[in-house]
Amino acid sequence: MVQKYQSPVRVYKYPFELVMAAYEKRFPTCPEIPVFLGSEILHESRSDDGAIHIIERSCKLNVDAPRLLKKIAGVEYVFFIQKNTVNWKERTLRIEAHNETFANRVVILETCNYSVHPENEEWTCFEQSASLDIKSFFGFESTVEKIAMKQYTSNIKRGKEVIEHYLKELISQGITFIPRWTPPPVCQDQLVECYLMPFSPRMSPLSCSLLFPLADKLDADYIERYLGQLTPMQESCLIRLRQWLQETHKGKIPKDEHILRFLRARDFNIDKAREMLCQSLSWRKQYQVDYILQSWRPPALLDEYYTGGWHYQDKDGRPLYILRLGQMDTKGLVKALGEESLLRHVLSINEEGQKRCEENTNIFGRPITSWTCLVDLEGLNMRHLWRPGVKALLRIIEVVEDNYPETLGRLLIVRAPRVFPVLWTLVSPFINENTRQKFLIYSGNNYQGPGGLVDYVDKDVIPDFLGGDCMCTVPEGGLVPKSLYQTEDESENSDHIRLWTETIYHSASVLKGAPHEIVVEILEGESVITWDFDILKGDVVFSLFHSKRAPETTRKEATLPSTSAAGDNMQLIDKMWVLGVDYSHMESPLVCREGESIQGSHVTRWPGFYILQWKMHGPPPCAATSLPRVDDVLASLQVSSHKCKLIYYYEVLASKDFR
């Protein structure tokens, strides 16, 4: 595999001529770069006017490799061929280097460029790039690659320091100005000799020519100020991925800190990071996530019952988000708003978090690329382990992990109750390992005192409900009234582009004489059917049946004069079927009143078809006056009050997965 390196633009705030004088001091050898042992000029030439000066050298290096490997390779030193081309008129120096030793086994190419800063002619820019391709090396290809990259990275880090060292040395000697090149008088080449300087090799070989404006590149000082300390190879990955996006991506290029997050999430594997980032960019474009802060306005219900909000910052300057999860009615919010609204709200929080990070970076004068989340679990109980809610949470986590990697700097969990390990067991496998390492969990009052919140959050920022003096405006939550629960039809009446094309809950209407039924096929015994439903209107009877025969799926509303009245009503059990012969009860009928929430499960004993049925509850009809089922429906359509509404969720699990 070819290893590549691309540097950011490094700026010396000195004129080109003075930087070249500092570069000259590294010739013929450089104590500041111990691996460079010396060089020999192979070829030298000048243009007639002295503006172009070319020197080609053989450079001797001592590679820090194991003695055994040197003995196997049969060499003590490695030789490079380096070509320096200085153009005094254009004020540029181009350095090209390639290895001479083992050239048929290993190919190393490097290019370095010094040039005048495009916005300040008194400054000098420097860039370098390189590639390493190990074709074969006596079976030690992997070892040689690691040694080469380690050596190279070490030399890169020293490169700027070496030039600055010699610049300071020149200044200490009183040399602060060197005149620029001017065309010489006829036959007076000697006038340019004073600044035709020999060039020592730069033994951190790498760069690319300035083929596009500096504004399109990354400056090393900018990286340190706004993105933080990166190793040379990490800088290279960022620059190369950014260049690739500029060349291939149609549309808005993400900010550098955004690209960097994806690189960190994939341990700076540029191919994996590129794949992850491209998928995320496509997702953002498809669902218009870039505009969510302008387009999304949380429903009033969220403002009142969603127990989360931003609250100043932690000691490191990271924006602080507080979530009182134990006080939140997650089940009520899912049923009243649907997963779509909750996901959209979580995405808006993440977008706001990135915006606050940028603001804090400017305020505190140092890179702040992630935020801290403080989660209070007081009040957490078994109702929070409601399976559909946990499933919705896992899906939200998946979306956030895929599209907002490395945005969480620290997660402080306080007042974790005894039930928390159960929730953690369910959720933790879906959280990235890098993210899990940022979790700090405190049970009881362990968050108070040394080692607790005061280590991460200033005392005057700790919220009042955790014993601090700071008033916190995060809502206290409470139970969402069941009267606010919505049906599937209501949740779909939204102008937003849907982020999820599926939903956990389904809605159904139950009419007199027309039950709503769903079928579950079980191929093997010992499976578990689970259900969760809420009665929004009317009273119903819930039953579970088993049949060896496959019922035919028919929507009764297709035969009715008004489909809107029947809603999603589905009837499966044929009216000719005989109870006890064609199908049988698995669970006793359960009367469910309006407003009730029902959860249950059934462990199957036999394969076959299991039918979940909801039918309208009422007094047993008189046999003499009973009507056929379809006739009952037709009659009931004329009386709108004879209609029940419910939302439901069901799932089939292997018994070993059921908790």
Side-chain angles (χ1 to χ4, degrees):
M1 179 178 177
V2 179
Q3 287 275 9
K4 293 184 178 180
Y5 171 80
Q6 173 66 59
S7 79
V9 178
R10 304 193 186 278
V11 178
Y12 301 101
K13 297 183 179 180
Y14 299 94
F16 176 79
E17 289 73 21
L18 195 62
V19 172
M20 291 297 97
Y23 186 76
E24 176 190 14
K25 283 183 167 290
R26 297 167 50 180
F27 178 81
T29 186
C30 179
E32 298 296 321
I33 307 178
V35 297
F36 178 59
L37 302 179
S39 63
E40 176 185 352
I41 295 178
L42 303 178
H43 174 76
E44 182 174 8
S45 64
R46 292 186 178 90
S47 62
D48 293 339
D49 61 0
I52 307 296
H53 185 193
I54 300 174
I55 298 179
E56 188 172 331
R57 290 187 177 89
S58 174
C59 307
K60 184 179 180 181
L61 281 74
N62 180 26
V63 179
D64 183 16
R67 183 69 184 172
L68 177 61
L69 185 59
K70 287 185 175 182
K71 189 173 182 180
I72 293 173
V75 298
E76 283 290 330
Y77 308 107
V78 175
F79 289 87
F80 274 76
I81 302 299
Q82 184 191 72
K83 180 182 178 182
N84 291 346
T85 303
V86 64
N87 186 324
W88 292 106
K89 181 179 179 180
E90 300 295 334
R91 304 176 76 197
T92 62
L93 168 64
R94 182 176 178 84
I95 306 169
E96 298 170 292
H98 65 273
N99 63 303
E100 185 178 33
T101 308
F102 301 119
N104 61 330
R105 295 180 177 274
V106 179
V107 179
I108 301 174
L109 301 175
E110 177 194 41
T111 307
C112 303
N113 284 310
Y114 287 88
S115 62
V116 177
H117 194 291
E119 297 174 5
N120 189 332
E121 63 178 13
E122 296 302 313
W123 292 357
T124 304
C125 296
F126 172 75
E127 283 186 277
Q128 57 186 142
S129 65
S131 64
L132 167 67
D133 184 8
I134 301 178
K135 301 181 180 300
S136 65
F137 204 86
F138 312 106
F140 291 91
E141 290 79 13
S142 178
T143 302
V144 171
E145 180 178 305
K146 291 178 181 177
I147 292 173
M149 296 310 296
K150 180 181 178 181
Q151 186 86 64
Y152 195 75
T153 301
S154 176
N155 290 337
I156 290 168
K157 293 173 68 175
R158 291 284 296 152
K160 186 177 182 182
E161 299 173 6
V162 170
I163 290 292
E164 289 178 341
H165 168 79
Y166 288 124
L167 283 167
K168 292 177 181 178
E169 187 175 289
L170 284 170
I171 293 170
S172 68
Q173 296 170 358
I175 303 174
T176 59
F177 173 76
I178 297 177
R180 298 183 187 179
W181 176 89
T182 56
V186 178
C187 299
Q188 295 198 14
D189 292 344
Q190 65 274 17
L191 295 181
V192 299
E193 290 293 339
C194 62
Y195 38 106
L196 285 179
M197 293 171 269
F199 304 97
S200 67
R202 174 174 178 78
M203 293 333 298
S204 50
L206 312 176
S207 176
C208 74
S209 57
L210 291 170
L211 298 177
F212 39 89
L214 187 60
D216 290 335
K217 298 189 175 185
L218 288 183
D219 177 85
D221 294 336
Y222 158 81
I223 291 176
E224 184 174 349
R225 167 63 179 82
Y226 291 98
L227 304 179
Q229 294 289 339
L230 301 177
T231 68
M233 299 311 294
Q234 289 172 345
E235 289 177 340
S236 172
C237 289
L238 172 60
I239 293 164
R240 289 166 55 204
L241 183 51
R242 186 177 187 265
Q243 288 178 349
W244 182 85
L245 287 170
Q246 289 172 330
E247 294 168 2
T248 62
H249 184 66
K250 296 180 180 179
K252 184 180 178 182
I253 301 297
K255 295 180 179 179
D256 299 321
E257 52 266 39
H258 192 75
I259 299 173
L260 188 57
R261 289 189 179 109
F262 285 83
L263 284 165
R264 285 183 169 134
R266 291 296 178 262
D267 296 323
F268 286 88
N269 182 309
I270 195 168
D271 292 328
K272 292 181 179 179
R274 178 167 53 217
E275 180 182 1
M276 183 184 184
L277 178 57
C278 287
Q279 290 176 353
S280 179
L281 291 176
S282 176
W283 172 83
R284 294 181 71 88
K285 181 178 180 180
Q286 182 178 358
Y287 298 112
Q288 300 180 8
V289 179
D290 286 340
Y291 309 102
I292 197 168
L293 291 180
Q294 292 77 35
S295 63
W296 168 250
R297 292 292 177 269
L301 190 66
L302 267 179
D303 290 334
E304 183 175 357
Y305 292 100
Y306 189 87
T307 56
W310 294 101
H311 180 81
Y312 301 100
Q313 54 271 328
D314 68 5
K315 285 188 174 182
D316 295 322
R318 295 189 184 105
L320 178 62
Y321 190 84
I322 293 180
L323 182 64
R324 304 183 69 176
L325 185 59
Q327 304 297 315
M328 188 185 298
D329 181 11
T330 52
K331 180 176 180 179
L333 287 174
V334 170
K335 292 190 174 183
L337 295 171
E339 301 164 72
E340 182 74 17
S341 290
L342 286 177
L343 173 61
R344 197 169 290 275
H345 188 57
V346 170
L347 296 184
S348 71
I349 292 170
N350 279 271
E351 292 292 313
E352 176 68 21
Q354 293 185 134
K355 180 180 176 183
R356 287 173 177 260
C357 284
E358 292 178 24
E359 293 171 352
N360 283 15
T361 294
N362 293 324
I363 291 172
F364 294 103
R366 63 179 184 273
I368 296 172
T369 58
S370 60
W371 55 86
T372 292
C373 187
L374 172 59
V375 181
D376 179 21
L377 294 184
E378 185 183 48
L380 188 79
N381 54 42
M382 291 304 294
R383 68 186 172 87
H384 291 90
L385 302 182
W386 169 64
R387 189 173 186 86
V390 172
K391 189 172 182 179
L393 173 62
L394 295 179
R395 294 172 69 184
I396 290 175
I397 289 174
E398 183 180 13
V399 172
V400 172
E401 287 274 300
D402 287 345
N403 298 284
Y404 299 93
E406 298 298 316
T407 53
L408 181 66
R410 182 179 293 119
L411 182 68
L412 302 168
I413 298 176
V414 300
R415 301 201 281 195
R418 295 179 64 182
V419 73
F420 173 72
V422 180
L423 179 62
W424 180 246
T425 300
L426 293 173
V427 172
S428 60
F430 296 89
I431 301 175
N432 181 275
E433 175 62 27
N434 291 338
T435 304
R436 290 204 300 269
Q437 293 177 357
K438 301 170 184 176
F439 285 37
L440 293 172
I441 303 171
Y442 301 91
S443 61
N445 294 323
N446 292 341
Y447 67 92
Q448 298 177 343
L453 289 185
V454 291
D455 285 11
Y456 307 101
V457 181
D458 288 327
K459 288 183 179 180
D460 58 355
V461 173
I462 295 177
D464 50 346
F465 62 85
L466 291 176
D469 299 326
C470 188
M471 293 296 295
C472 183
T473 58
V474 173
E476 295 184 1
L479 294 176
V480 178
K482 291 187 178 180
S483 60
L484 300 178
Y485 288 5
Q486 65 178 357
T487 65
E488 185 180 5
D489 291 337
E490 292 169 334
S491 68
E492 289 181 350
N493 291 330
S494 171
D495 294 332
H496 293 297
I497 298 176
R498 290 186 62 80
L499 294 158
W500 280 338
T501 56
E502 57 179 90
T503 180
I504 285 180
Y505 280 95
H506 304 277
S507 61
S509 298
V510 180
L511 306 176
K512 184 178 180 181
H516 180 72
E517 298 165 344
I518 57 176
V519 63
V520 176
E521 183 178 7
I522 301 297
L523 301 178
E524 298 179 1
E526 297 299 318
S527 295
V528 181
I529 304 174
T530 67
W531 54 81
D532 181 287
F533 59 88
D534 286 81
I535 310 303
L536 304 182
K537 180 180 179 182
D539 299 338
V540 302
V541 177
F542 173 71
S543 301
L544 178 67
F545 301 101
H546 173 261
S547 174
K548 295 181 180 180
R549 298 172 56 184
E552 294 184 7
T553 301
T554 56
R555 286 186 178 273
K556 289 300 177 183
E557 70 266 23
T559 64
L560 302 177
S562 173
T563 60
S564 61
D568 287 333
N569 179 264
M570 182 82 74
Q571 191 170 333
L572 301 173
I573 298 177
D574 192 281
K575 65 179 181 179
M576 302 303 294
W577 280 17
V578 178
L579 183 63
V581 178
D582 299 292
Y583 66 109
S584 56
H585 270 294
M586 290 291 99
E587 296 279 344
S588 299
L590 178 66
V591 177
C592 310
R593 303 297 180 180
E594 182 174 315
E596 286 188 340
S597 296
I598 307 296
Q599 297 87 37
S601 61
H602 176 81
V603 180
T604 62
R605 297 177 60 186
W606 307 285
F609 300 91
Y610 289 78
I611 302 169
L612 286 72
Q613 180 195 74
W614 294 268
K615 67 178 181 180
M616 183 176 289
H617 175 65
C622 175
T625 60
S626 62
L627 298 174
R629 298 175 71 179
V630 173
D631 292 340
D632 278 339
V633 174
L634 293 173
S636 69
L637 290 175
Q638 301 172 20
V639 185
S640 60
S641 61
H642 292 173
K643 180 179 179 181
C644 299
K645 295 186 73 174
L646 63 104
I647 57 175
Y648 66 91
Y649 160 82
Y650 71 95
E651 187 175 7
V652 179
L653 303 169
S655 58
K656 62 182 177 62
D657 296 329
F658 181 69
R659 295 178 183 273

